[in-house]
Amino acid sequence: MVTFQFIPFQEIENLGSAKRVNKLLNIVKENKIVLMEGRLKKQEEADLIEITMEEISPKFKGIELSVVYPNKSKQDFGQKVKGTFANLLLGDRQGMTIIGPASVVKRIEQNPNKIELFTKEAKTPPAKRYRKKK
Amino acid sequence: MGFFKDLLSKLKFNPFARKSHVKLGLYGPPNGGKSTLANRICQDWLGEEMSTVSHIAHETREIKIKEQVNIKNKKGKELTFSLVDTPGIATRIDYEDFLKRGMKKKQAKERAKEATKGVIDSIKWLDEMECVVVVLDSTQDPYSQVNITIIGNLQARNIPVLIVANKVDLKKSNIDVIKAAFPQYEVVGVSAKYGKNVEDFYEMLFKVAK
């Protein structure tokens, strides 16, 4: 079973960078996949990788990370103007960030048109055999 | 004009001067060919190698620096670099991956531990760089968040970036995908291993680092 946890941007909006990163990482360490509204700042993304590395252990093997953001290079002039206003109003609230534990998420493939999240095959325990009672 | 130049140089800010010494970082994900490119540069201009290379990821686990690498372009202009070879940046490190490569458990755990420190060092050193070559494996998907995060952080710090699409000698190599992924940057395809197209790389480096 894979668990997703949605984090609205307002939940992290007023947190400092370190608290934001730690909040997200703590959820991921509970083996949940974070779907966060918006995106982290560039420096915070680097901090997330840095703190992840500090936390790596035989039990926690790291994260898979992907940020979905409107592709500005493919927008026409009107869309770019709208996008600039949206950016002014919403800031980092635009887009979506996906962070999953490496033990659950094998990889996230991102190309301009789609995002594919590959999970590791769950190791299900072998079915129990029951003996008929005589 | 001369008065202003003198004044600006006294103030240690001179937009008319060319940089003569640049701290050049080689960044990218593991196994992209950073150390192979570092060795190629050092072989070409110093006649010696800089780093060990391996097919197993995270061979470079600490920052390596080669001072005074003088590079000349076709016009005879010269640039001196401090070449910084960095450990590959990754978001996951699993010692079991090294076990699969034939390492013993203790050795694999040690390598994983060193690799995590290497990633941290690479990120910390970003602020020290004056110019960065991002080395990507052109046979791999460039739309990975690690690549986007590295380049985004360099952009945020206003550090000039040149993207090297390495391993063009391989059949699966696709430079166009890298160009499409990062259209705002100069991309040059090379084979660091065989020295293919490195002349173009040096020319491009002059253009970006000046």
Side-chain angles (χ1 to χ4, degrees), chain B residues 37-68:
Chain B
L37 184 63
N39 283 342
R40 171 64 55 190
I41 296 168
C42 289
Q43 274 288 1
D44 286 351
W45 302 100
L46 300 174
E48 62 188 35
E49 294 212 330
M50 180 178 178
S51 305
T52 53
V53 292
S54 163
H55 291 297
I56 305 173
H58 301 286
E59 177 66 21
T60 307
R61 297 184 295 283
E62 49 188 44
I63 304 279
K64 291 181 179 177
I65 308 167
K66 200 69 150 178
E67 299 285 355
Q68 297 290 322

Side-chain angles (χ1 to χ4, degrees), chain B residues 190-208:
Chain B
V190 303
S191 166
K193 189 176 178 181
Y194 299 106
K196 192 179 171 186
N197 217 22
V198 285
E199 292 303 323
D200 286 352
F201 161 69
Y202 293 132
E203 286 303 311
M204 206 76 96
L205 191 56
F206 262 84
K207 204 172 144 189
V208 173

